[in-house]
Amino acid sequence: MEIKQYFNIIKKRLWLVLLIVVVITAGTGIYGFMTNTPMYTATAKLVVNSTPSNTKGEPANQLDLGTINSNIQLIKTYEQIIKTPAIMNKVAKENPELGLTANQLINSINVNSVDETQVMSLTVTDTSYQRAAETVNAVATVFKREIPQIMKLDNITVLDQADPSSSASPITKSPLLFVLIALVLSVVIGIAVVFLLEYMDDSIKSEEDIRDVLGLPVLGVIAKMKEEDMEAKNTMPAKPLVGGGERANHT
């Protein structure tokens, strides 16, 4: 019976639930499709690797573990050097076709080390994949060229570059996902509002309310009649009494 009452409460204000669902879902959909801009990422990878040499000046056959660890530690320094005007100003000046300033380049690039290895990953996010690929390749090229002058070390190798001609999928989520989430949440909000209004409504509307609230028995009910019911009653012909016609003929 309680479940039936819950359904009756929702049914009574179903229009309010539907209104809340339509407003929230439509608003989310309009906002999502108007503001959603596909974003793409392009990645280039660099290797930080100093070639060890033996006492005769020839390359050694085995890598020194200490050299590898120091190269890994250098990556943290290189991460900070890349995102500086000293590098980005040259990238912007040498690649005017990108149409990006040094500050824009700094904000669009992300530098990470790959699982504590000697590999650095440069990632650029842009609204165009082609421009993102060209930007990350330009940053990698300029950084490789400038780092020997800054650190007095020539230990950067470009391992992999982004392909500007390849197709890529956007990293931004589809607005339809947010619309579906808004739909579910709006239903929950609508039902919550309906139950809140029902809880705050302390008026007596039915015989059950009188019995439950006042604890009094219901002796009679006066039905509410509409004006249409009254008009229909006046136009309806009266039914003759049974046997009345026979008595009239006899008299």
Side-chain angles (χ1 to χ4, degrees), residues 110-210:
N110 188 26
V111 185
N112 291 304
S113 59
V114 181
D115 297 331
E116 297 299 325
T117 63
Q118 296 177 254
V119 179
M120 292 175 58
S121 176
L122 309 183
T123 303
V124 171
T125 303
D126 200 286
T127 56
S128 169
Y129 176 76
Q130 180 179 357
R131 185 167 64 174
E134 293 175 352
T135 301
V136 75
N137 293 339
V139 172
T141 301
V142 172
F143 177 71
K144 178 182 182 303
R145 187 191 67 210
E146 296 295 326
I147 202 64
Q149 302 178 14
I150 298 174
M151 296 292 294
K152 308 303 179 184
L153 290 172
D154 188 5
N155 60 347
I156 298 295
T157 302
V158 178
L159 179 63
D160 185 27
Q161 288 187 328
D163 185 5
S165 62
S166 65
S167 59
S169 300
I171 61 173
T172 51
K173 296 182 179 179
S174 173
L176 292 177
L177 176 62
F178 297 101
V179 172
L180 293 176
I181 295 175
L183 177 62
V184 175
L185 291 179
S186 61
V187 172
V188 175
I189 294 173
I191 294 176
V193 171
V194 166
F195 280 105
L196 178 62
L197 293 177
E198 185 69 20
Y199 175 78
M200 296 177 63
D201 187 5
D202 55 358
S203 60
I204 296 176
K205 299 183 179 64
S206 63
E207 299 88 344
E208 290 79 5
D209 294 339
I210 296 175

Side-chain angles (χ1 to χ4, degrees), residues 231-240:
E231 293 177 354
K233 183 177 180 181
N234 294 332
T235 57
M236 184 180 297
K239 295 181 179 180

Side-chain angles (χ1 to χ4, degrees), residues 29-75:
I30 293 173
Y31 177 80
F33 281 100
M34 289 182 62
T35 59
N36 182 68
T37 302
M39 302 296 292
Y40 300 88
T41 59
T43 303
K45 292 184 179 181
L46 308 177
V47 177
V48 181
N49 184 21
S50 297
T51 303
S53 59
N54 54 25
T55 56
K56 297 181 180 181
E58 297 178 356
N61 294 327
Q62 295 182 350
L63 291 176
D64 183 11
L65 183 60
T67 302
I68 295 176
N69 291 332
S70 59
N71 288 334
I72 295 175
Q73 294 300 320
L74 274 176
I75 292 179

Side-chain angles (χ1 to χ4, degrees), residues 206-220:
S206 63
E207 299 88 344
E208 290 79 5
D209 294 339
I210 296 175
R211 184 179 62 251
D212 297 339
V213 176
L214 301 180
L216 299 175
V218 179
L219 301 179

